[in-house]
Amino acid sequence: MSSQEPILYTVDLKKYFGEVRAVDGVSFKISPGEVVALIGPNGAGKTTFVNVITGYFNPDAGKIYYQGKDITKASRIKKIRMGIARSFQLVNLYDELTALDNVRIAVLSRLGKTSIFWKPVERFDDVRSEALEILASFGLEEKAEVPAKALPQGERKLLDVAVAFALRPRVLLLDEPTSGVSSKDKHTIMERIVPTVRNEKIATMIIEHDMDIVFGYSDRVVVMYDGKILAEGKPEEIRQSREVQEKLLGVTAGAS
Amino acid sequence: MPSHASKQVRNKIIGYLIFLLVLALIPLFVRAGIITEFVQNLLMYSIIFAIAGLAFNILLGYSGLLSFGHAAYFAVGAYTVALAPQFIGETSFEVLILLALAASAIVSMAFGYIAVRLTRIFFAIMTLALTQLVWALILKLYWYTGGSDGVNVKAKPLLGIPFNEFMSRPEYLNTVFYYYLLGIFAISLFIIWLVVNSPFGRALLATRDNETRAEFVGIRVRLYRWYAFIISGVFTGLAGALFAVLNGHVTPEQADWIFSGDIVFVAVLGGFRFFEGPILGSIIFIFVRQYAMGYTIFWRLILGSVLIVLILAFPSGIMGALNSIANRIRAGSRILPAAPTPTPTAITDIKHHQEGGREK
């Protein structure tokens, strides 16, 4: 997997907020079909890193390459259209709309159909069935007609990922897809996400705090600390790294 | 599932057709002496307000943007019909309507371009401020607009036929103009329904519910809000154009922020979370206002009290109140026979049923 050309890589990426060096020279790469866990203590710069890649913030220095092209300056919308999608740590859904509509809007947007105003949305049978298929692959087919706000937290987290997935991305950045749910539900969520993204050969980066999840589902682990990459390697290598243990796992084990 | 959704749509369309049919029979009821011409006249005002309310609700209900400036587009439509004959001579109403649509499109493009940069209260204040601009212009350009006296508007030929020349004004309004108005209402209803139920309408709902997510699925939020603003403004202008002929007189009052408030009132009263809300709201607003005006010069006090009660007791408007009653009856008859101990999922399902109703 690592022998493959990376689909996305960053070179010495930096993002400062005044004195705070949130992302401080990160060089990172990810290949198609790879599931990378990005771990690190709170404030290590993980979410900022995702925000810079997706164009929410412009980097202060460094480059982002996607499919061999420099996309550092590309707009948010352009990056989405190119195939870089994300989910959110705090679920971002259309709360009043059904699960089906949450996914359907993403499908319509990907197909460039959201400007059609002269035909009822229900007449787009292909869009509807694709949205239902996506819901099914996340185990949400029964909930298609339920408003997002009425779903339990675990399913809201899944739906958030399903919406990103509906954009058919080549790179998927998942910001804590299992935060705020019980540890049993964490596994249910990962059992849904990981096979689905592997199936589609999507390069997936998952920000995660739960070490069971990190070691259980990722191909590679990247450890961020103080805006820098502290260590990187296969899950078992990271588990055995003394430096990581001291700076991260020790803290996490103590906390949980 | 698809049959369920399409069945719902079919029922709704049947409902609209019955409603339009009843409206079409009104002149016959008048002739039979069941209702008075005056009531028919009020209905015409209601229909015009309904078009403006439906248009306004594309913003409030479907985009989450409270415009306090819809009087501007209404007035632009009305004044276009009133003033254009000075320059192009008397023509058929269709020509004037097209001019009114064009004028309100231009004004709403310009105002919308500025307003969609903002949201929430800032959007409301900006639209209010922009409307006052139109109001001030109408008042100050009195050599064209007649200032606070306004302009008289003659009855117009319809579809090129000069009904106005061989009919008395009341006869013209209560027969041919009535059906003309009804036709335009039906077309507007159809188009606005299509807009809010289209993929574009869904995109608007997305921007309403979660702007961040809408952006991250690739929707250009501001641009879509601008489109919605223009569509809303154009249909409000159309309502204004119809108003000019029905009222026979246009004044700066139609550009006043109080008039903007009336349009907001109509949508909130009927229920802005429902497509049909503004229609119901318009009918009730026009009739209550008429009878309140008959009682007291403080009729706005009565409307204000209605609004306070409404917001406290029925925040989702009359449609919302009716809908939750209907749901309770339906849910009651479904759940009572079995009377099972509700599992947690059953509870959320019922809850969602009641709340979910607010959507449609």
Short mmCIF file of all heavy atoms in Angstrom, two decimals, chain A residues 100-101 104 120-123 125 128 145, chain B residues 1-13 193 197 202 360:
data_model
loop_
_atom_site.label_atom_id
_atom_site.label_comp_id
_atom_site.label_asym_id
_atom_site.label_seq_id
_atom_site.Cartn_x
_atom_site.Cartn_y
_atom_site.Cartn_z
N LEU A 100 -32.39 10.61 4.57
CA LEU A 100 -32.33 10.49 3.11
C LEU A 100 -31.93 11.82 2.47
O LEU A 100 -31.04 11.88 1.63
CB LEU A 100 -33.69 10.02 2.57
CG LEU A 100 -33.83 10.01 1.06
CD1 LEU A 100 -32.89 9.02 0.41
CD2 LEU A 100 -35.27 9.68 0.66
N ASP A 101 -32.59 12.90 2.88
CA ASP A 101 -32.29 14.21 2.29
C ASP A 101 -30.87 14.66 2.62
O ASP A 101 -30.20 15.28 1.80
CB ASP A 101 -33.30 15.27 2.75
CG ASP A 101 -34.52 15.32 1.85
OD1 ASP A 101 -34.39 14.87 0.68
OD2 ASP A 101 -35.58 15.78 2.28
N ARG A 104 -28.99 12.80 0.17
CA ARG A 104 -29.40 13.11 -1.20
C ARG A 104 -28.84 14.46 -1.66
O ARG A 104 -28.45 14.62 -2.81
CB ARG A 104 -30.94 13.11 -1.29
CG ARG A 104 -31.45 13.52 -2.64
CD ARG A 104 -32.82 12.98 -2.93
NE ARG A 104 -33.79 13.33 -1.91
CZ ARG A 104 -35.05 12.83 -1.91
NH1 ARG A 104 -35.43 12.00 -2.86
NH2 ARG A 104 -35.89 13.17 -0.98
N PRO A 120 -39.30 18.38 -9.60
CA PRO A 120 -39.32 17.94 -8.20
C PRO A 120 -38.18 16.96 -7.91
O PRO A 120 -37.86 16.12 -8.74
CB PRO A 120 -40.67 17.24 -8.05
CG PRO A 120 -41.51 17.78 -9.14
CD PRO A 120 -40.59 18.09 -10.27
N VAL A 121 -37.63 17.06 -6.74
CA VAL A 121 -36.47 16.25 -6.37
C VAL A 121 -36.83 14.76 -6.36
O VAL A 121 -35.98 13.90 -6.65
CB VAL A 121 -35.91 16.73 -5.00
CG1 VAL A 121 -36.81 16.33 -3.86
CG2 VAL A 121 -34.51 16.24 -4.78
N GLU A 122 -38.10 14.46 -6.07
CA GLU A 122 -38.53 13.06 -6.02
C GLU A 122 -38.50 12.39 -7.40
O GLU A 122 -38.60 11.18 -7.52
CB GLU A 122 -39.93 12.93 -5.42
CG GLU A 122 -40.00 13.24 -3.93
CD GLU A 122 -39.27 12.21 -3.07
OE1 GLU A 122 -38.95 11.12 -3.57
OE2 GLU A 122 -39.02 12.53 -1.89
N ARG A 123 -38.43 13.22 -8.45
CA ARG A 123 -38.41 12.66 -9.81
C ARG A 123 -37.02 12.16 -10.20
O ARG A 123 -36.86 11.54 -11.24
CB ARG A 123 -38.89 13.70 -10.82
CG ARG A 123 -40.32 14.17 -10.58
CD ARG A 123 -41.34 13.16 -11.08
NE ARG A 123 -41.35 13.12 -12.53
CZ ARG A 123 -42.04 13.98 -13.29
NH1 ARG A 123 -42.76 14.92 -12.74
NH2 ARG A 123 -42.01 13.87 -14.59
N ASP A 125 -35.01 9.59 -9.68
CA ASP A 125 -35.01 8.24 -9.10
C ASP A 125 -33.59 7.72 -8.87
O ASP A 125 -33.32 7.07 -7.87
CB ASP A 125 -35.78 7.28 -10.00
CG ASP A 125 -37.27 7.53 -9.96
OD1 ASP A 125 -37.76 8.01 -8.91
OD2 ASP A 125 -37.95 7.27 -10.97
N ARG A 128 -32.16 9.26 -5.77
CA ARG A 128 -32.79 8.68 -4.61
C ARG A 128 -32.24 7.29 -4.30
O ARG A 128 -31.89 6.98 -3.16
CB ARG A 128 -34.31 8.61 -4.85
CG ARG A 128 -35.08 8.14 -3.65
CD ARG A 128 -36.52 7.82 -4.05
NE ARG A 128 -37.14 7.08 -2.98
CZ ARG A 128 -37.70 7.64 -1.92
NH1 ARG A 128 -37.76 8.95 -1.81
NH2 ARG A 128 -38.21 6.90 -0.96
N GLU A 145 -36.33 7.94 6.41
CA GLU A 145 -37.35 8.99 6.51
C GLU A 145 -37.36 9.69 7.88
O GLU A 145 -38.26 10.47 8.17
CB GLU A 145 -38.74 8.41 6.22
CG GLU A 145 -38.89 7.78 4.83
CD GLU A 145 -38.76 8.80 3.70
OE1 GLU A 145 -39.06 10.00 3.93
OE2 GLU A 145 -38.35 8.41 2.60
N MET B 1 -41.76 2.89 -0.17
CA MET B 1 -41.42 4.27 0.20
C MET B 1 -41.70 5.28 -0.90
O MET B 1 -42.34 6.29 -0.67
CB MET B 1 -39.95 4.37 0.64
CG MET B 1 -39.72 3.96 2.09
SD MET B 1 -40.72 4.89 3.28
CE MET B 1 -40.04 4.32 4.81
N PRO B 2 -41.24 5.03 -2.14
CA PRO B 2 -41.50 6.05 -3.16
C PRO B 2 -43.00 6.25 -3.38
O PRO B 2 -43.45 7.36 -3.60
CB PRO B 2 -40.84 5.51 -4.43
CG PRO B 2 -40.32 4.17 -4.10
CD PRO B 2 -40.45 3.93 -2.66
N SER B 3 -43.76 5.17 -3.28
CA SER B 3 -45.20 5.30 -3.51
C SER B 3 -45.81 6.16 -2.40
O SER B 3 -46.73 6.94 -2.65
CB SER B 3 -45.86 3.93 -3.54
OG SER B 3 -45.75 3.31 -2.27
N HIS B 4 -45.26 6.04 -1.19
CA HIS B 4 -45.74 6.84 -0.07
C HIS B 4 -45.54 8.32 -0.36
O HIS B 4 -46.45 9.13 -0.22
CB HIS B 4 -45.01 6.43 1.20
CG HIS B 4 -45.33 7.28 2.38
ND1 HIS B 4 -46.55 7.26 3.00
CD2 HIS B 4 -44.58 8.20 3.03
CE1 HIS B 4 -46.54 8.13 4.00
NE2 HIS B 4 -45.36 8.72 4.04
N ALA B 5 -44.31 8.65 -0.80
CA ALA B 5 -43.99 10.05 -1.07
C ALA B 5 -44.83 10.59 -2.21
O ALA B 5 -45.39 11.68 -2.12
CB ALA B 5 -42.50 10.20 -1.39
N SER B 6 -44.96 9.79 -3.30
CA SER B 6 -45.70 10.31 -4.45
C SER B 6 -47.19 10.39 -4.14
O SER B 6 -47.90 11.24 -4.67
CB SER B 6 -45.45 9.44 -5.68
OG SER B 6 -45.83 8.11 -5.43
N LYS B 7 -47.65 9.50 -3.24
CA LYS B 7 -49.06 9.56 -2.84
C LYS B 7 -49.33 10.85 -2.07
O LYS B 7 -50.33 11.53 -2.31
CB LYS B 7 -49.38 8.35 -1.94
CG LYS B 7 -50.82 7.88 -2.04
CD LYS B 7 -50.97 6.54 -1.33
CE LYS B 7 -52.25 6.48 -0.54
NZ LYS B 7 -52.29 5.30 0.34
N GLN B 8 -48.38 11.19 -1.20
CA GLN B 8 -48.50 12.45 -0.45
C GLN B 8 -48.57 13.63 -1.41
O GLN B 8 -49.39 14.52 -1.25
CB GLN B 8 -47.27 12.61 0.45
CG GLN B 8 -47.58 12.40 1.90
CD GLN B 8 -46.36 12.69 2.77
OE1 GLN B 8 -45.25 12.83 2.28
NE2 GLN B 8 -46.59 12.78 4.04
N VAL B 9 -47.68 13.59 -2.40
CA VAL B 9 -47.64 14.68 -3.38
C VAL B 9 -48.96 14.74 -4.14
O VAL B 9 -49.53 15.82 -4.34
CB VAL B 9 -46.46 14.49 -4.36
CG1 VAL B 9 -46.55 15.47 -5.52
CG2 VAL B 9 -45.14 14.66 -3.63
N ARG B 10 -49.47 13.56 -4.52
CA ARG B 10 -50.72 13.54 -5.29
C ARG B 10 -51.86 14.12 -4.45
O ARG B 10 -52.64 14.94 -4.94
CB ARG B 10 -51.05 12.11 -5.73
CG ARG B 10 -51.93 12.10 -6.98
CD ARG B 10 -52.51 10.73 -7.29
NE ARG B 10 -51.52 9.67 -7.16
CZ ARG B 10 -51.78 8.53 -6.53
NH1 ARG B 10 -52.97 8.31 -5.99
NH2 ARG B 10 -50.85 7.60 -6.43
N ASN B 11 -51.92 13.71 -3.18
CA ASN B 11 -52.96 14.26 -2.29
C ASN B 11 -52.88 15.76 -2.20
O ASN B 11 -53.89 16.45 -2.21
CB ASN B 11 -52.83 13.66 -0.89
CG ASN B 11 -53.29 12.22 -0.87
OD1 ASN B 11 -53.94 11.76 -1.80
ND2 ASN B 11 -52.93 11.50 0.18
N LYS B 12 -51.64 16.26 -2.11
CA LYS B 12 -51.46 17.71 -2.01
C LYS B 12 -51.96 18.39 -3.28
O LYS B 12 -52.66 19.40 -3.22
CB LYS B 12 -49.98 18.04 -1.80
CG LYS B 12 -49.60 17.94 -0.36
CD LYS B 12 -48.54 18.93 0.03
CE LYS B 12 -48.52 19.03 1.54
NZ LYS B 12 -47.31 19.63 2.05
N ILE B 13 -51.58 17.84 -4.42
CA ILE B 13 -51.98 18.47 -5.68
C ILE B 13 -53.50 18.47 -5.80
O ILE B 13 -54.11 19.47 -6.22
CB ILE B 13 -51.31 17.74 -6.87
CG1 ILE B 13 -49.81 18.07 -6.85
CG2 ILE B 13 -51.93 18.17 -8.19
CD1 ILE B 13 -48.97 17.29 -7.82
N TRP B 193 -44.06 26.17 -5.89
CA TRP B 193 -44.06 24.81 -5.35
C TRP B 193 -42.92 24.00 -5.97
O TRP B 193 -42.19 23.28 -5.28
CB TRP B 193 -45.41 24.13 -5.64
CG TRP B 193 -45.49 22.76 -5.02
CD1 TRP B 193 -45.89 22.46 -3.76
CD2 TRP B 193 -45.13 21.51 -5.64
NE1 TRP B 193 -45.80 21.10 -3.55
CE2 TRP B 193 -45.35 20.51 -4.68
CE3 TRP B 193 -44.65 21.16 -6.91
CZ2 TRP B 193 -45.09 19.16 -4.96
CZ3 TRP B 193 -44.40 19.82 -7.18
CH2 TRP B 193 -44.62 18.84 -6.20
N ASN B 197 -39.60 22.44 -4.03
CA ASN B 197 -39.51 20.97 -4.00
C ASN B 197 -38.46 20.41 -4.96
O ASN B 197 -38.35 19.20 -5.12
CB ASN B 197 -40.87 20.34 -4.29
CG ASN B 197 -41.78 20.46 -3.08
OD1 ASN B 197 -41.60 19.80 -2.08
ND2 ASN B 197 -42.75 21.37 -3.17
N ARG B 202 -34.03 21.89 -2.12
CA ARG B 202 -33.35 21.09 -1.10
C ARG B 202 -32.03 21.76 -0.70
O ARG B 202 -31.65 21.78 0.47
CB ARG B 202 -33.07 19.68 -1.60
CG ARG B 202 -34.27 18.76 -1.60
CD ARG B 202 -34.77 18.52 -0.19
NE ARG B 202 -35.70 17.40 -0.14
CZ ARG B 202 -36.96 17.44 -0.52
NH1 ARG B 202 -37.48 18.58 -0.96
NH2 ARG B 202 -37.75 16.39 -0.45
N LYS B 360 -43.36 19.47 6.44
CA LYS B 360 -44.03 19.41 5.15
C LYS B 360 -45.09 20.50 4.97
O LYS B 360 -45.73 20.89 5.89
CB LYS B 360 -44.70 18.03 4.99
CG LYS B 360 -43.68 16.91 5.02
CD LYS B 360 -43.01 16.69 3.66
CE LYS B 360 -41.53 16.38 3.74
NZ LYS B 360 -41.17 15.13 4.32
#
